[in-house]
Short mmCIF file of all heavy atoms in Angstrom, two decimals:
data_model
loop_
_atom_site.label_atom_id
_atom_site.label_comp_id
_atom_site.label_asym_id
_atom_site.label_seq_id
_atom_site.Cartn_x
_atom_site.Cartn_y
_atom_site.Cartn_z
N MET B 1105 154.36 88.44 96.62
CA MET B 1105 154.46 88.46 98.09
C MET B 1105 155.01 89.79 98.61
O MET B 1105 155.06 90.01 99.80
CB MET B 1105 155.38 87.31 98.57
CG MET B 1105 154.77 85.94 98.43
SD MET B 1105 153.27 85.74 99.40
CE MET B 1105 153.97 85.44 101.02
N SER B 1128 137.51 85.44 115.69
CA SER B 1128 136.29 85.84 114.97
C SER B 1128 135.70 84.66 114.19
O SER B 1128 134.48 84.42 114.22
CB SER B 1128 136.59 86.98 113.99
OG SER B 1128 137.18 88.04 114.66
N LEU B 1133 131.72 80.20 113.69
CA LEU B 1133 131.44 78.78 113.48
C LEU B 1133 130.78 78.12 114.70
O LEU B 1133 130.44 76.93 114.65
CB LEU B 1133 132.74 78.03 113.14
CG LEU B 1133 133.40 78.47 111.82
CD1 LEU B 1133 134.73 77.76 111.63
CD2 LEU B 1133 132.49 78.20 110.63
N GLU B 1168 104.23 114.25 119.33
CA GLU B 1168 103.33 114.06 118.18
C GLU B 1168 101.87 113.96 118.64
O GLU B 1168 100.98 114.57 118.04
CB GLU B 1168 103.71 112.80 117.40
CG GLU B 1168 104.96 112.96 116.54
CD GLU B 1168 104.84 114.08 115.53
OE1 GLU B 1168 103.76 114.25 114.93
OE2 GLU B 1168 105.82 114.83 115.35
N TYR B 1209 73.46 120.34 133.06
CA TYR B 1209 74.12 119.39 133.96
C TYR B 1209 75.54 119.84 134.31
O TYR B 1209 76.26 120.35 133.45
CB TYR B 1209 74.19 118.01 133.32
CG TYR B 1209 72.84 117.31 133.32
CD1 TYR B 1209 71.94 117.51 132.28
CD2 TYR B 1209 72.46 116.49 134.38
CE1 TYR B 1209 70.70 116.90 132.29
CE2 TYR B 1209 71.22 115.88 134.39
CZ TYR B 1209 70.34 116.08 133.35
OH TYR B 1209 69.11 115.48 133.37
N LEU B 1211 79.20 118.49 135.30
CA LEU B 1211 79.95 117.25 135.06
C LEU B 1211 80.88 116.99 136.25
O LEU B 1211 81.79 117.77 136.52
CB LEU B 1211 80.78 117.37 133.78
CG LEU B 1211 80.02 117.80 132.52
CD1 LEU B 1211 80.98 117.87 131.33
CD2 LEU B 1211 78.88 116.84 132.22
N ASP B 1304 57.35 99.47 113.51
CA ASP B 1304 58.33 100.58 113.55
C ASP B 1304 59.55 100.26 112.68
O ASP B 1304 59.93 99.09 112.55
CB ASP B 1304 58.79 100.85 114.99
CG ASP B 1304 57.69 101.46 115.83
OD1 ASP B 1304 56.83 102.14 115.24
OD2 ASP B 1304 57.67 101.22 117.05
N THR B 1305 60.15 101.31 112.15
CA THR B 1305 61.29 101.11 111.26
C THR B 1305 62.61 101.34 112.01
O THR B 1305 62.83 102.43 112.56
CB THR B 1305 61.23 102.11 110.08
OG1 THR B 1305 59.92 102.05 109.55
CG2 THR B 1305 62.25 101.77 109.02
N SER B 1334 65.40 91.38 114.50
CA SER B 1334 64.64 90.17 114.13
C SER B 1334 63.28 90.21 114.81
O SER B 1334 63.01 91.08 115.64
CB SER B 1334 65.42 88.92 114.51
OG SER B 1334 65.73 88.96 115.88
N ARG B 1347 74.99 96.92 120.02
CA ARG B 1347 76.40 96.81 120.40
C ARG B 1347 76.74 98.11 121.13
O ARG B 1347 76.75 99.19 120.53
CB ARG B 1347 77.25 96.69 119.13
CG ARG B 1347 78.65 96.16 119.37
CD ARG B 1347 79.41 95.96 118.09
NE ARG B 1347 78.80 94.98 117.22
CZ ARG B 1347 78.28 95.26 116.03
NH1 ARG B 1347 78.29 96.49 115.57
NH2 ARG B 1347 77.77 94.32 115.28
#
Side-chain angles (χ1 to χ4, degrees):
Chain B
M1105 289 298 280
S1128 305
L1133 297 175
E1168 284 302 320
Y1209 286 88
L1211 307 180
D1304 290 332
T1305 311
S1334 55
R1347 198 176 297 115

